[in-house]
Amino acid sequence: MSDPSHKLSIGSLLRRPETGSFLGLAAVFVFFTIFGGTNFASVSGAASWLNVAASLGIIAIPIGLLMIAGELDISIGSMVPAGSMTCAIVSGHFGLPIAVGVVAAFALGALVGLVNGLLVVRTAVPSFIVTLGTLFAVAGLTLGLSVLITGTTSVSIKAGPEAKFLLGHFINGIYQVTILWWIAAAIFWGFVLHYSPYGNWILAMGGDKVSARNAGIPTERVTIVLFMCSGMSAAFVGLSQAILYNSAQVSAGQSYIFNAIISVVVGGVLLTGGYGSVVGIVLGTLTFAIVNQGIYYTPFDANWASLIIGVLLLVAVLMNNTFRKMALSYTPSRNPSRKLK
Amino acid sequence: MKSKVMKAVLLASVMAFGATAATAEGKMIAVVGGKSDDAFFAKVKKGIDDATLVVTAHGGTVNYLQLQTYDNLGGDAANLVRTAISQGASIIAVPDWVPDAQDEAIKAAQAAGIPVILYNAGGADKARELGAINYIGNEEYTAGLAAGAYFATHGMKNVICVNTVPGAQNLEDRCKGVADGAAKEGGVSNQLPLPASSFGDPTAVAEAIKATLLKDTTINGAVTVSAADANSAATGIEQAGLTGKVALASFDMDGAGLDRIKAGTQLFAVDQQPWLQGFLAVSMADAYINYGLAISNTPVLTGPGIVDSANIDATLAGAGAGYR
């Protein structure tokens, strides 16, 4: 996909998967800078959408990779509160060190991901259905166990200064430290997708799973690992929210399902798999967060928020689609024998 | 002889098909309610569970029919009422969240001879209109009036009412009450409706409130329609650098909110005492179907009660025991 022998030109730049999403992002940013006034463009305004984008973005990247590989994981909607509650119950209710709560939340995320992955590769049931099942199952387990153990659906947690510093403080008083974790995650996943053999495997699996397996790619192992990563990412967002807001609720996270998928699609990933980039997903997440939060800086009546969100997201995706079509239908004229996939 | 057996088999199968729970010895009370992972409905459910002890002692059963999501509140609740009818409930307790969507199902229950009690949402006027036995709960508009007046009389004259589920009748009534209550005391209140894409994401709610406060610096009060949203609002106010300048209040409350009231960073909470709603709805339903007992007052109001620095200690004690 990213062939270093390509000559850098305007044309090749325009055909990169993330160009469309960048233009979409630029369009909504300009829109809100015009209508949002000085507060939107201020540092505090930027924090508004960066904070929202950070936790969404950490989940959106592994979801995007799953979608590129032709799978989907909607159980994250339950994994966010499950990770949150696990950390709060272990470290808040039982008073164990915060590290134990963090490890427990990660372990749960990995376990749920493992179950998702095994079910998907062993049963060949579409991952949407499998993870729909685990979405409800994990939600039920979280509620049942929380009430059984603590007798309530909302547990408070007081994290120590180290945990607060790493996971739950505001840089300069306004930027959530989660933003740095998001950047770290983006760099890690960018390396995996674009510079490691795993990346080509993931893209190939989304393009044609059977051929990918025949070519010797361990498709089952890659699928399971991807599900475990999305489970752990959701658990991470959950536990960092618990530490940030000093409390965990049983139900908080269903909106992440749709919001993550929207971010990934706005970021230029094909719903059918086989095409996309990490930078695109990051830009898509930023676009969604700006559209979702920017509206409060504008003079528009908030009753119209959903309408404006819908229209702007459509504009962003349409812009993206135009460029993707250009990229996918492009055949280099000088070297007709070379195929671009 | 043979026809007698046939009749018995037929009767048994009809009973098994249509009315498993409504067998001769026990009456089944159907209660339609919110998700029990919703902190508020968890307390309602606790009241229901406590009242179930009495129902069981009287030989009856309680069937709690809960919504799976709040995405299609009215339609889903109406379907649960119809489920209760087909299960052969003896009486149905249901919140009338979205009257336009639910009233038809409630009338269908009554047409099938099943009495209905409204609780949690709906109000006395609705109960009279539908011919329900009673309404147990809060009058949302009255609660809103109390909140608006409390703000205005304590010096907060420009208040936003943060609504995370715009369109739900009880939440709209709360915000309208806040506006009217504030207006009576010379204040003003506008609603801040948030889209569904923000529901359940505390950061999105917090940042929306922050942005609104930065945009209009004359706002000096914010009230949220739920306890969890108040946690987000507290962060939003803090991030806007307006702690101490913008007073926070919430409809309903949780541990974190009570801690804020104790610490002085939240002005007050409007409580509708959810445990009482579940407990009274089920015990009154039980008394009515078994013995024809009914309370003569309509409505039976369980709120609004204002929790502020004056009564926070007693409230905390109740919260510790899991009833508030």
Side-chain angles (χ1 to χ4, degrees):
Chain A
M1 175 134 258
S2 49
D3 187 348
S5 71
H6 254 308
K7 273 187 196 147
L8 196 68
S9 69
I10 306 251
S12 69
L13 205 64
L14 276 178
R15 284 184 296 272
R16 289 193 60 77
E18 51 269 20
T19 306
S21 25
F22 178 76
L23 290 175
L25 172 64
V28 298
F29 188 82
V30 167
F31 177 88
F32 283 110
T33 309
I34 293 169
F35 290 102
T38 46
N39 273 331
F40 174 76
S42 71
V43 279
S44 172
S48 272
W49 40 270
L50 278 175
N51 288 343
V52 171
S55 41
L56 178 58
I58 290 172
I59 296 177
I61 299 175
I63 293 296
L65 262 63
L66 272 169
M67 286 170 71
I68 291 171
E71 306 289 352
L72 191 59
D73 182 3
I74 62 172
S75 66
I76 48 146
S78 296
M79 261 324 296
V80 173
S84 213
M85 285 304 284
T86 305
C87 185
I89 289 174
V90 170
S91 302
H93 184 72
F94 289 121
L96 293 171
I98 199 91
V100 180
V102 170
V103 169
F106 269 122
L108 181 71
L111 179 71
V112 171
L114 181 68
V115 170
N116 281 334
L118 282 174
L119 284 174
V120 167
V121 299
R122 293 277 190 274
T123 65
V125 172
S127 51
F128 174 77
I129 304 298
V130 168
T131 56
L132 184 71
T134 47
L135 171 76
F136 282 107
V138 171
L141 265 181
T142 311
L143 172 62
L145 289 177
S146 301
V147 172
L148 204 66
I149 295 170
T150 68
T152 153
T153 55
S154 153
V155 175
S156 65
I157 172 173
K158 295 263 182 292
E162 297 92 357
K164 268 277 182 201
F165 177 78
L166 281 174
L167 293 165
H169 86 285
F170 287 90
I171 303 164
N172 280 340
I174 51 171
Y175 296 104
Q176 283 182 13
V177 68
T178 321
I179 296 170
L180 297 181
W181 289 104
W182 180 35
I183 294 171
I187 292 170
F188 169 76
W189 286 117
F191 176 78
V192 168
L193 186 64
H194 303 298
Y195 296 98
S196 81
Y198 274 99
N200 279 332
W201 293 353
I202 291 168
L203 287 159
M205 282 163 62
D208 183 346
K209 192 154 280 174
V210 177
S211 307
R213 189 166 48 225
N214 291 343
I217 295 173
T219 54
E220 300 199 341
R221 199 178 72 206
V222 174
T223 306
I224 291 171
V225 168
L226 281 177
F227 273 110
M228 290 175 72
C229 288
S230 78
M232 287 193 286
S233 301
F236 176 79
V237 168
L239 71 90
S240 60
Q241 274 182 357
I243 290 168
L244 184 74
Y245 290 96
N246 304 316
S247 74
Q249 278 88 31
V250 169
S251 70
Q254 300 288 337
S255 63
Y256 279 102
I257 303 170
F258 244 121
N259 295 355
I261 295 174
I262 295 168
S263 301
V264 168
V265 173
V266 169
V269 173
L270 273 182
L271 272 173
T272 46
Y275 185 90
S277 75
V278 170
V279 175
I281 297 168
V282 168
L283 296 175
T285 311
L286 279 173
T287 308
F288 177 80
I290 289 178
V291 171
N292 205 38
Q293 301 304 126
I295 189 82
Y296 306 108
Y297 288 94
T298 65
F300 306 131
D301 191 319
N303 284 329
W304 301 102
S306 290
L307 173 71
I308 295 169
I309 290 172
V311 170
L312 283 178
L313 288 176
L314 265 181
V315 168
V317 169
L318 285 177
M319 199 171 255
N320 210 335
N321 255 28
T322 314
F323 282 90
R324 187 167 57 219
K325 257 184 216 145
M326 280 171 62
L328 287 177
S329 62
Y330 174 72
T331 357
S333 50
R334 263 174 298 174
N335 190 355
S337 67
R338 192 153 129 221
K339 276 214 175 126
L340 212 110
K341 170 88 205 281
Chain B
M1 181 66 197
K2 201 177 177 187
S3 74
K4 259 189 190 167
V5 174
M6 284 291 284
K7 260 185 196 166
V9 168
L10 205 68
L11 191 69
S13 61
V14 164
M15 282 171 67
F17 179 73
T20 346
T23 41
E25 72 270 20
K27 295 192 169 163
M28 192 260 272
I29 299 169
V31 185
V32 175
K35 298 179 351 184
S36 46
D37 60 353
D38 168 336
F40 177 86
F41 259 94
K43 286 177 211 131
V44 174
K45 182 69 173 26
K46 196 170 167 63
I48 291 170
D49 290 345
D50 287 353
T52 301
L53 299 174
V54 177
V55 178
T56 313
H58 291 166
T61 55
V62 175
N63 186 14
Y64 186 62
L65 302 159
Q66 66 167 322
L67 292 168
Q68 294 305 318
T69 71
Y70 293 154
D71 298 340
N72 182 24
L73 194 61
D76 288 351
N79 284 337
L80 289 179
V81 171
R82 292 183 195 281
T83 304
I85 298 171
S86 64
Q87 285 178 340
S90 315
I91 187 165
I92 299 172
V94 56
D96 201 2
W97 285 300
V98 188
D100 291 341
Q102 290 176 243
D103 284 1
E104 213 181 296
I106 291 170
K107 283 174 189 155
Q110 289 165 324
I114 305 169
V116 172
I117 288 186
L118 298 187
Y119 80 102
N120 178 256
D125 293 341
K126 202 62 186 174
R128 281 190 207 99
E129 182 199 319
L130 290 171
I133 298 159
N134 210 327
Y135 169 69
I136 300 154
N138 201 25
E139 300 264 273
E140 303 293 2
Y141 179 73
T142 317
L145 280 180
Y150 190 99
F151 267 123
T153 52
H154 286 73
M156 273 55 86
K157 301 283 188 189
N158 187 357
V159 176
I160 51 166
C161 183
V162 183
N163 188 350
T164 43
V165 192
Q169 191 59 50
N170 58 334
L171 305 186
E172 296 285 345
D173 285 349
R174 286 178 173 183
C175 284
K176 191 172 185 305
V178 173
D180 293 352
K184 256 180 220 160
E185 303 290 337
V188 53
S189 170
N190 290 306
Q191 191 184 143
L192 174 65
L194 301 187
S197 52
S198 298
F199 185 79
D201 182 348
T203 304
V205 175
E207 296 295 344
I209 292 166
K210 181 185 92 178
T212 308
L213 296 178
L214 290 175
K215 191 172 69 185
D216 183 352
T217 50
T218 64
I219 296 169
N220 52 9
V223 56
T224 62
V225 294
S226 82
D229 293 333
N231 297 337
S232 311
T235 305
I237 292 170
E238 187 195 322
Q239 291 303 295
L242 293 168
T243 309
K245 294 191 186 103
V246 174
L248 174 63
S250 70
F251 287 96
D252 309 330
M253 56 202 194
D254 64 3
L258 292 178
D259 288 346
R260 277 196 301 274
I261 295 174
K262 178 84 179 158
T265 51
Q266 177 167 334
L267 190 58
F268 68 99
V270 184
D271 189 21
Q272 51 170 303
Q273 305 182 98
W275 182 87
L276 274 179
Q277 293 181 8
F279 184 78
L280 291 177
V282 170
S283 40
M284 281 178 63
D286 178 66
Y288 183 84
I289 45 165
N290 284 318
Y291 314 113
L293 294 165
I295 288 177
S296 52
N297 280 16
T298 304
V300 179
L301 285 183
T302 62
I306 301 278
V307 176
D308 61 7
S309 55
N311 59 357
I312 183 64
D313 290 327
T315 310
L316 277 169
Y323 291 91
R324 302 200 69 167

